[in-house]
Amino acid sequence: MKHLVEFRSYALKPASRDKFHQLVVEQSGPMLKRWNVDVVDFGPSAHDDNSYYLIRRYDSLAHRQQSQDAFYGSDEWKQGPREAIIALIESSTEFVLELDDVTVQGLRSQRSL
């Protein structure tokens, strides 16, 4: 089976990565779980001190759009960690690949949200 896997890369403001990670682990990550978003992996990037990544799996492009519209449009997100998280991001980029089950499971982290 093929899945669509979204890779997000965040360039964070200097010296903000620890705070960003704390917000993900304590607030936005648990929210994503409640909203049934399949987070494959997340965390600080190994290449510099101001980068972070998030990998999510979707069934289709339509599922991705539906999921993100629902999550980012929710009062829980808007009234929750949204402002604190956005304040730490300088820029972000994303790309989506079609990957098979074995590859997705190989990317899956042992970390839990």
Side-chain angles (χ1 to χ4, degrees), residues 10-112:
Y10 300 97
L12 303 175
K13 293 181 179 175
S16 68
R17 188 166 72 178
D18 288 344
K19 179 64 176 170
F20 188 87
H21 184 66
Q22 179 183 6
L23 288 166
V24 169
V25 170
E26 295 177 1
Q27 295 186 39
S28 68
M31 283 178 58
L32 287 165
K33 187 173 185 175
R34 283 192 298 278
W35 283 82
N36 297 314
V37 176
D38 184 3
V39 176
V40 174
D41 197 10
F42 64 96
S45 179
H47 78 285
D48 72 33
D49 292 336
N50 298 318
S51 296
Y52 200 88
Y53 68 92
L54 173 66
I55 304 171
R56 298 184 283 196
R57 186 201 61 80
Y58 298 98
D59 297 329
S60 64
L61 285 175
H63 175 230
R64 176 179 176 256
Q65 189 66 54
Q66 232 175 4
S67 175
Q68 291 186 10
D69 287 350
F71 179 80
Y72 293 117
S74 73
D75 287 341
E76 183 180 13
W77 169 250
K78 290 177 185 177
Q79 296 169 11
R82 181 184 183 276
E83 291 303 318
I85 287 175
I86 289 175
L88 301 177
I89 299 171
E90 284 192 346
S91 65
S92 66
T93 189
E94 62 190 55
F95 61 93
V96 177
L97 298 175
E98 187 176 63
L99 301 173
D100 61 30
D101 285 328
V102 172
T103 304
V104 172
Q105 293 311 315
L107 290 170
R108 196 169 293 282
S109 172
Q110 298 302 314
R111 280 185 288 251
S112 174

